[in-house]
């Protein structure tokens, strides 16, 4: 620091500083108001229907962007949201369904998934095999509602590829 | 000392007193053309005299003026659309449909707005290419020039133009819009750590819905136009402060030697001034009398031709061509293939190709191609005036020898962008598969 400030300079610095601080806080408050504190999202736990209503094979639930697979009494659910940039992938039936072991459990692959936005390809269990997708498609937890026996999908609960729900 | 004469003519010639209330398009003296500039807001952009060579059609192609004319047209056509469009998720698509099919001249106004936006992206980009290739971001002989900052402002204005186009793209709330925003904001969220918060800030929540639409609407009609308008004003002021186009500097750097008649009484050679008896006198003023013309009417006439020409071309285009409107936004089905607007197709192509896998570790192409690579390109563009080491004399002419290497590299990058755009436009079919243009593309499998 140099010479001691005179009163005029000190007040000028103080006033300018106060002005900048006031504008800064007001600006920050305005910006902060744009970050939502509440998000009115759709519920993450959704009843999707009685198990008996599902066909053997695959059913696409557009509202949840979800594929539900059924094989007899065994169910699993795979997300239809491409892990690259969030487009909805489409399922394409394989001409020769393939029997495979996925994470130690037997699985019949009847479909593969293709993304229309950037050409990502996924196997029937959601594994990303080509294109830009960085991760496999998400698998979601399935359960049966205790009250009416409907199939319940928990979109906030990602599970491994060995997850199966076996209904009675 | 006598008082100033009171005859009308004499009063008109007194300093600060002007003969005509309105400015003249056909000034009879420098004074009158100066008056035209001073008393007219629009003409205040222009100096009284401009370098003749900077008016050349083939030097600048008037691309900046074309961009400005398109901006004006966008503001003008945006006005009525403000009254007709409803920024609500339930009603946006319907209101655009009304504009397109029910409102008198509605489809024409929308087409003017839409085509002007597309052409403005092209014009601003070509303007940037022109300025780079002529090294017009370089300072010349003038005092207090800061062309490098005007270049930076220009780069920001290009980004604003792109962002304006993108935000406008969302407003019809059709399929094209919805998926463009899905992909665009997911690119933002691919930034490490802060990405998801940026996406949430942009779309106003976790899903694309009413908060998203109203945010992009506010950006499109208030925030971005205001920013672009302010920068545009500064851009033009800077051009004026920098002495006009770089061409003007060049003309004064390299003037034709003017021979003055030799004196019979002096031997210049002995004085060491020149050889022989006819010294060449170099003039270095920016306003050499034979190299400049009055801004009014030479510059104003050409500006009017460019602006009105742009208006006319666009008006005819809008009358002849329809603007597309896809199906209403449907979060459940992605169109196949889902293509970005043409000016983002090269990025879509890069985003597709840049996912990198190193063993089990994967870098998402969204970040690499959507954020990092464009960021590096923009950073390079911004920093280029300080990287460029070519002499100042290289500014203001096409393809000077001293800038050959950097012009070639720049053209190379431009060519890559154009090729990727063409690939995206003509060679990407369903599921983003590559097809040759002459191949028959397969039927799209039925939607699930």
């Amino acid at each position: 620091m140099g010479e001691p400030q005179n009163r005029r300079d000190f007040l000028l610095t103080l006033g300018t500083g106060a002005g900048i601080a006031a504008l800064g806080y007001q600006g920050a408050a305005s910006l902060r108001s744009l970050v939502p504190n509440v998000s009115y999202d759709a519920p993450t736990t959704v009843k999707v229907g009685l198990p008996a209503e599902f066909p053997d094979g695959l059913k696409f639930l557009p509202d949840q962007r979800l594929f539900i697979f059924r094989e007899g009494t065994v169910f699993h659910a795979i997300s239809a949201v491409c892990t690259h940039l969030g487009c909805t992938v489409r399922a394409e039936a394989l001409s020769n369904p393939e029997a495979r072991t996925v994470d130690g459990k037997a699985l019949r692959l009847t479909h593969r998934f293709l993304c229309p936005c950037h050409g990502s390809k996924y196997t029937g269990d959601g594994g990303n095999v080509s294109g830009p997708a960085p991760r496999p498609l998400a698998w979601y937890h399935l359960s049966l509602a205790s009250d009416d026996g409907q199939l319940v999908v928990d979109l906030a609960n990602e599970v491994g590829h060995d997850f199966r729900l076996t209904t009675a | 000392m006598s008082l100033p004469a009171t005859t009308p003519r004499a009063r008109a010639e007194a300093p600060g007193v002007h003969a005509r209330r309105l400015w003249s398009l056909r000034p009879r003296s420098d004074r009158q053309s100066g008056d035209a500039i001073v008393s007219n807001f629009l003409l205040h952009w222009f100096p009284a005299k401009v370098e003749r060579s900077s008016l050349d059609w083939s030097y600048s192609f008037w691309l900046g003026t074309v961009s400005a004319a398109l901006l004006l047209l966008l503001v003008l056509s945006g006005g009525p659309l403000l009254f007709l469009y409803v920024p609500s998720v339930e009603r946006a698509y319907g209101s655009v449909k009304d504009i397109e099919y029910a409102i008198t001249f509605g489809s024409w106004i929308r087409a003017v707005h839409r085509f002007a936006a597309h052409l403005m992206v092209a014009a601003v980009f070509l303007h940037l290419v022109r300025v780079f290739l002529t090294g017009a971001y370089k300072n010349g002989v003038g005092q207090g020039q800061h062309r490098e900052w005007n270049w930076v402002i220009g780069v920001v204005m290009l980004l604003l133009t792109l962002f304006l186009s993108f935000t406008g793209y969302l407003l019809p709330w059709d399929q094209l819009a919805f998926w463009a925003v899905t992909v665009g904001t997911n690119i933002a969220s691919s930034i490490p750590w802060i990405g998801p918060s940026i996406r949430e800030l942009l779309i106003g929540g976790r899903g694309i819905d009413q908060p998203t639409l109203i945010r992009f609407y506010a950006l499109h009609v208030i925030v971005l136009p205001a920013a672009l308008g302010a920068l545009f004003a500064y851009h033009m002021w800077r051009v004026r402060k920098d002495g006009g186009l770089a061409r003007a500097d060049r003309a004064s750097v390299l003037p034709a030697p003017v021979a003055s008649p030799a004196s019979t009484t002096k031997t210049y050679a002995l004085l060491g001034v020149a050889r022989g008896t006819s010294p060449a006198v170099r003039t270095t003023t920016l306003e050499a009398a034979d190299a400049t013309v009055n801004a009014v009417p030479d510059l104003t006439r050409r500006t009017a031709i460019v602006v009105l020409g742009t208006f006319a071309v666009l008006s005819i285009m809008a009358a002849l061509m329809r603007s597309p409107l896809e199906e209403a936004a449907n979060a459940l089905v992605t169109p196949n293939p889902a293509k970005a607007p043409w000016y983002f197709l090269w990025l879509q192509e890069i985003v597709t190709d840049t996912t990198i896998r190193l063993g089990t570790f994967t870098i998402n192409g969204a970040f690499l191609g959507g954020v990092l690579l464009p960021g590096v390109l923009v950073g390079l563009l911004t920093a280029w005036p300080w990287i460029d080491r070519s002499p100042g004399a290289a500014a203001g002419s096409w393809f000077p020898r001293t800038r050959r290497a950097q012009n070639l590299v720049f053209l190379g990058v431009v060519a890559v962008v154009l090729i990727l755009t063409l690939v995206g436009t003509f060679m990407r079919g369903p599921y983003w598969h590559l097809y040759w243009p002459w191949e028959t593309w397969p039927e799209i499998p039925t939607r699930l």
Side-chain angles (χ1 to χ4, degrees):
Chain A
M1 295 299 282
E3 290 161 34
Q5 286 181 319
N6 61 30
R7 188 196 316 239
R8 189 181 293 255
D9 285 345
F10 174 72
L11 288 177
L12 184 67
T13 314
L14 197 67
T16 314
I20 291 173
L23 283 179
Y25 272 105
Q26 287 169 33
S30 306
L31 281 180
R32 178 60 186 83
S33 74
L34 293 177
V35 181
N37 289 334
V38 179
S39 192
Y40 302 96
D41 293 342
T44 53
T45 315
V46 197
K47 284 185 182 177
V48 292
L50 290 166
E53 291 168 4
F54 284 83
D56 228 30
L58 165 151
K59 185 179 181 185
F60 177 53
L61 306 178
D63 292 330
Q64 286 77 35
R65 296 170 81 193
L66 195 69
F67 298 109
I68 304 268
F69 287 84
R70 175 180 181 181
E71 209 179 323
T73 54
V74 183
F75 289 82
H76 67 271
I78 300 181
S79 160
V81 181
C82 181
T83 55
H84 177 226
L85 283 170
C87 294
T88 308
V89 299
R90 287 153 191 254
E92 197 180 71
L94 296 174
S95 45
N96 304 312
E98 190 187 337
R100 253 217 267 167
T101 346
V102 174
D103 286 358
K105 289 201 181 179
L107 187 70
R108 222 167 66 94
L109 304 184
T110 52
H111 289 79
R112 62 174 184 160
F113 306 105
L114 304 167
C115 181
C117 285
H118 304 94
S120 293
K121 285 197 185 102
Y122 301 87
T123 52
D125 68 317
N128 52 322
V129 280
S130 78
R135 285 189 313 280
L137 295 173
W139 283 49
Y140 290 122
H141 185 267
L142 285 177
S143 56
L144 289 175
S146 52
D147 50 352
D148 55 3
Q150 285 199 48
L151 214 50
V152 175
V153 56
D154 185 353
L155 294 166
N157 188 3
E158 252 192 63
V159 292
H161 291 196
D162 54 348
F163 175 87
R164 306 282 187 283
L165 172 73
T166 311
T167 55
Chain B
M1 202 183 129
S2 62
L3 289 168
T6 50
T7 58
R9 172 156 181 84
R11 194 190 301 140
E13 293 298 326
V17 179
H18 302 276
R20 305 168 66 113
R21 202 164 260 285
L22 292 170
W23 44 274
S24 164
L25 266 182
R26 297 180 182 283
R28 266 186 238 108
S29 64
D30 283 1
R31 171 71 189 273
Q32 275 190 11
S33 62
D35 271 5
I37 306 295
V38 171
S39 58
N40 183 295
F41 172 73
L42 271 180
L43 296 182
H44 223 78
W45 280 343
F46 305 141
K49 293 208 157 207
V50 285
E51 187 68 36
R52 190 198 298 274
S53 61
S54 65
L55 295 183
D56 271 2
W57 299 110
S58 60
Y59 170 67
S60 69
F61 299 106
W62 290 71
L63 287 162
T65 312
V66 170
S67 312
L70 290 170
L71 178 63
L72 177 61
L73 206 53
L74 281 162
V75 172
L76 291 179
S77 58
L81 292 177
L82 274 178
F83 289 87
L84 300 169
Y85 171 77
V86 186
S88 125
V89 165
E90 285 82 26
R91 297 173 61 191
Y93 184 75
S95 69
V96 174
K97 223 170 168 178
D98 276 356
I99 292 169
E100 188 66 32
Y101 296 107
I103 287 157
T104 309
F105 292 128
S107 69
W108 181 75
I109 294 170
R110 176 168 174 249
V112 166
H113 199 70
R114 194 175 160 278
F115 285 125
H118 281 274
L119 285 186
M120 189 172 155
V121 171
V124 170
F125 175 72
L126 290 175
H127 178 51
L128 173 129
V129 171
R130 191 285 289 176
V131 169
F132 189 95
L133 292 180
T134 56
Y137 51 78
K138 300 173 73 66
N139 293 324
V141 294
Q143 293 279 311
Q145 285 180 329
H146 286 293
R147 289 221 174 90
E148 70 277 8
W149 286 112
N150 221 9
W151 165 264
V152 173
I153 297 292
V155 171
V156 176
M157 285 166 76
L158 169 67
L159 298 181
L160 282 177
T161 307
L162 288 173
F163 204 38
L164 265 166
S165 268
F166 182 70
T167 49
Y169 202 73
L170 166 70
L171 301 181
W173 209 247
D174 60 351
Q175 277 287 62
L176 217 57
F178 187 87
W179 291 101
V181 173
T182 303
V183 169
T185 54
N186 273 324
I187 285 177
S189 83
S190 73
I191 304 170
W193 301 298
I194 54 166
S197 332
I198 292 180
R199 178 170 194 262
E200 206 171 318
L201 179 67
L202 274 174
I203 67 177
R206 281 194 288 266
I208 291 170
D209 212 330
Q210 183 62 53
T212 318
L213 180 56
I214 204 80
R215 268 169 203 227
F216 278 71
Y217 178 71
L219 285 174
H220 186 75
V221 303
I222 296 282
V223 181
L224 298 173
L228 188 60
L231 288 183
F232 172 64
Y234 182 73
H235 200 65
M236 297 315 294
W237 182 75
R238 208 48 270 166
V239 168
R240 177 77 192 278
K241 294 298 277 185
D242 292 338
L245 306 193
R247 193 91 197 260
D249 286 39
R250 186 173 170 71
S252 59
V253 170
L254 305 167
V258 180
S260 58
S263 162
T264 49
T265 56
K266 283 179 182 164
T267 312
Y268 291 100
L270 274 181
L271 295 170
V273 174
R275 287 202 187 110
T277 52
S278 56
V281 178
R282 292 168 70 88
T283 48
T284 52
T285 166
L286 280 170
E287 293 192 359
D290 52 344
T292 58
V293 288
N294 286 337
V296 184
D298 286 64
L299 177 57
T300 47
R301 190 199 296 124
R302 291 199 184 194
T303 309
I305 291 172
V306 172
V307 172
L308 295 179
T310 308
F311 278 28
V313 166
L314 212 81
S315 181
I316 292 167
M317 271 177 74
L320 295 182
M321 290 194 267
R322 293 228 78 130
S323 6
L325 181 65
E326 294 218 341
E327 293 163 50
N330 184 352
L332 319 176
V333 184
T334 311
N336 190 10
K339 283 196 184 184
W342 59 269
Y343 44 84
F344 282 146
L345 268 180
W346 65 283
L347 279 178
Q348 187 171 13
E349 191 60 44
I350 292 176
V351 164
T352 303
D353 305 325
T354 49
T355 293
I356 292 178
R357 292 187 177 80
L358 301 163
T360 54
F361 184 70
T362 305
I363 302 174
N364 197 341
F367 177 64
L368 219 59
V371 180
L372 207 59
L373 196 69
V376 167
L377 281 182
V378 169
L380 266 179
L381 271 184
T382 310
W384 201 257
W386 291 274
I387 298 172
D388 181 354
R389 294 259 169 248
S390 63
S397 64
W398 282 88
F399 302 112
R401 206 171 288 248
T402 45
R403 304 186 72 244
R404 186 175 286 167
Q406 51 174 306
N407 276 345
L408 280 177
V409 170
F410 178 78
L411 280 178
V413 174
V414 170
V416 168
V417 168
L418 290 182
I419 289 169
L420 289 179
T421 308
L422 291 176
V423 169
T425 312
F426 297 112
M427 293 165 65
R428 289 294 191 177
Y431 295 121
W432 210 245
H433 286 319
L434 262 181
Y435 297 98
W436 295 109
W438 53 87
E439 274 181 317
T440 36
W441 292 10
E443 290 285 316
I444 300 173
T446 43
R447 281 176 181 169
L448 272 164

